[in-house]
Every structure is written in C-alpha cells, then in structure tokens.
Amino acid sequence: MLQVEVLTLFPGVFASPLQESLLRRAQEKGLLCVRVRNLRDWAEGRHRIADDVPYGGGAGMVLKPEPIFQALESLRATGDPLRVILLTPQGERFTQETARRLAAETRRIVLLCGRYEGIDERVRLGAVDEEISIGDYVLAGGELAALVVIEAMARLLPGALGAEASAREDSFWEGLLDYPHYTRPAMFRGMEVPEVLLSGHHEQIRRWRRKEALRRTRARRPDLLARAPLSPEDRELLREIEQET
Ligand code: 9D3
C-alpha cells in the first residue's frame, strides 16, 4: 500500500480529485492511502497563522518553519518512515521515471505544498529530502502539482488499471506517442474510419497502429523517437513513412 501524506494550507483543493475515477478506485482497492492535512493545524496562537512577511522586505508572504517541523514531527511519531518531498518551481523535473521510483517507495511520501512567495529556507535545509517541479510554468502553489504526482504514481500501482489498460502500457509502446483511435460510427461528418481497422485482420491492424504511432512520434516528438527502443520492423516502417513524405 502506497501511503501519501499531503501538507497544505488549502486541503479543499484535494477533495474532488481524490474522490473520482482512478484515484478513488486505487484507494477503495487498498492500493493507495492519501491523507490530506492542513498546516494551520500545527500553527501557534489564536489565529493559527502559518505564514509571515519576508525578512529583508519585499512583496508576498513566506511559509513559517515551525508549523511544518511540528507537522513532520507528529507524522514521524506514528507509522512508517517518511520521504519528504517539497513541490517547488526550483525542484527537479517530474517525469515518468520519477513516478515509477516514487510508486515503488516503502516509506510514506510526504508532499509538502508551498504557496505565496515560498517557504522558509530552513525547511529545505532541515526537513526536505527531495524537491520536485512538474514543469516550466508558474502555478499559484504546490497543490495541483501534488495531485499530478499522486495520480502518476497511483496508476502505476499493480492492480490500479484494468487488464486492457495495462496491456496498452506494455513496454512495446514505451517511449512512443499513441496511435489514432476510432469508435462508431464508421462515417462521421464525411470523415471515415481507416479501412484496415474495419477489416478484422489483426496482424495488419497491429502493423498500422505501430506505423501511425511512429509517424506521430516522428512528427511531434522527434526527441522521444531518438530515445525509443526500435525494432527492425520499426525501422522498416519508418523508411516507409519517410518515402511517403
Ligand atoms: C512569483 C513568484 N516566483 C518568483 C520567481 C516564484 C514562485 C514561487 C511559487 C513561482 C510559483 C510558485 C508557486 N508554484 C509552486 O509552488 C509549484 C510549481 C510551479 O509553479 N510550477 C511547476 N511545478 C511546481 S511544483 C510547485
């Protein structure tokens, strides 16, 4: 069972994403356990303030260290060891490889969500094991990034996907973009479904799908194609594609 502890000032953000679809089923099946905790619960004083103005001045607020250290201490008091991960634009880029590594963790994964201008540096220095960014764009905080990380891990847990979906995840398709998909009707607004898909010739269908996956990857993500493990058949299909263009 993968255990995730989320620390955030906005726990409400997590409510519906965790209660729908794959994340709901993974939790119902006992593959995943996500607990979302409000950092304010560990903040001192009548107003339970978890942020403060930055030393040295400037705009915005900074998350105080005490509530975060308190929260981590109380988590450490019970249960499995922790792997503390800070979601931050300065983190290492999150990839499918990161997702695989974290989905295999035996420690509880703590996802610490920053907001505002950031987090007191002493949290990074004294309490954080790893820092993750989900990409080069500016979010308002770490909450949506934490959900991205949780979903990417959850679908990798054995039994989280149906048999058909996991077959599509087969290493055969690793590193390639998807082929085009069609469902009924066979003709829609003048656009036909490719003949081969209606033919029932499984071998031809497999070859067509492979070729279209290669065509798309070549056109849209040549960086992926360069790193994909290609079979002799793949190289033949790519030669066909090059001749067509
Ligand atoms: C306007 C403030 N920025 C000055 C350089 C820094 C900044 C601080 C905090 C920018 C964004 C945020 C909030 N974002 C996250 O906490 C975050 C994030 C992101 O913005 N992009 C990609 N991944 C992540 S993970 C956490």
Side-chain angles (χ1 to χ4, degrees), residues 87-89 114 116-117 132-135 137-142 145:
L87 285 315
T88 165
Y116 313 120
E117 287 313 289
I132 288 178
S133 160
I134 62 163
Y137 34 80
V138 182
L139 304 173

Side-chain angles (χ1 to χ4, degrees), residues 47-113:
H47 298 290
R48 307 229 157 248
I49 288 169
D51 58 346
D52 205 341
V53 295
Y55 273 120
M61 301 293 273
V62 175
L63 289 191
K64 291 164 68 63
E66 302 96 318
I68 296 171
F69 276 84
Q70 284 292 331
L72 292 172
E73 253 172 54
S74 91
L75 288 179
R76 281 209 172 89
T78 58
D80 291 334
L82 307 180
R83 174 84 181 162
V84 180
I85 298 177
L86 174 65
L87 285 315
T88 165
Q90 289 129 76
E92 264 201 44
R93 175 70 66 83
F94 184 73
T95 64
Q96 191 63 16
E97 187 191 329
T98 324
R100 277 193 294 263
R101 172 169 59 77
L102 294 178
E105 266 293 340
T106 54
R107 292 167 289 194
R108 274 181 294 167
I109 294 174
V110 177
L111 298 178
L112 180 52
C113 305

Side-chain angles (χ1 to χ4, degrees), residues 36-56:
V36 181
R37 318 295 303 271
N38 194 333
L39 276 170
R40 276 173 82 96
D41 295 351
W42 289 279
E44 294 284 346
R46 198 161 62 85
H47 298 290
R48 307 229 157 248
I49 288 169
D51 58 346
D52 205 341
V53 295
Y55 273 120

Side-chain angles (χ1 to χ4, degrees), residues 51-240:
D51 58 346
D52 205 341
V53 295
Y55 273 120
M61 301 293 273
V62 175
L63 289 191
K64 291 164 68 63
E66 302 96 318
I68 296 171
F69 276 84
Q70 284 292 331
L72 292 172
E73 253 172 54
S74 91
L75 288 179
R76 281 209 172 89
T78 58
D80 291 334
L82 307 180
R83 174 84 181 162
V84 180
I85 298 177
L86 174 65
L87 285 315
T88 165
Q90 289 129 76
E92 264 201 44
R93 175 70 66 83
F94 184 73
T95 64
Q96 191 63 16
E97 187 191 329
T98 324
R100 277 193 294 263
R101 172 169 59 77
L102 294 178
E105 266 293 340
T106 54
R107 292 167 289 194
R108 274 181 294 167
I109 294 174
V110 177
L111 298 178
L112 180 52
C113 305
R115 275 265 159 170
Y116 313 120
E117 287 313 289
I119 199 159
D120 189 286
E121 185 67 8
R122 290 160 293 186
V123 173
R124 273 197 49 234
L125 299 175
V128 170
D129 297 311
E130 180 174 352
E131 301 178 39
I132 288 178
S133 160
I134 62 163
D136 294 340
Y137 34 80
V138 182
L139 304 173
E143 285 77 13
L144 295 183
L147 283 165
V148 165
V149 169
I150 293 169
E151 182 163 302
M153 294 188 299
R155 60 185 296 292
L156 293 174
L157 299 173
L161 301 177
E164 232 170 273
S166 7
R168 263 190 289 118
E169 290 300 301
D170 201 307
S171 64
F172 183 63
W173 295 105
E174 221 174 77
L176 292 185
L177 298 183
D178 229 346
Y179 51 78
H181 299 273
Y182 293 89
T183 186
R184 281 175 291 198
M187 170 79 91
F188 176 72
R189 298 195 178 179
M191 296 177 282
E192 290 179 341
V193 173
E195 189 72 45
V196 60
L197 297 179
L198 311 174
S199 70
H201 292 130
H202 299 299
E203 176 53 23
Q204 276 176 249
I205 290 168
R206 187 198 61 76
R207 193 179 151 90
W208 181 85
R209 284 179 170 164
R210 188 74 186 175
K211 187 171 177 178
E212 295 312 310
L214 288 164
R215 191 195 306 280
R216 279 199 169 169
T217 311
R218 179 177 178 269
R220 298 184 190 188
R221 294 295 305 275
D223 58 314
L224 288 183
L225 191 61
R227 286 186 286 123
L230 299 178
S231 68
E233 183 193 40
D234 291 336
R235 300 191 184 283
E236 182 185 316
L237 292 170
L238 281 166
R239 275 194 299 276
E240 288 179 22

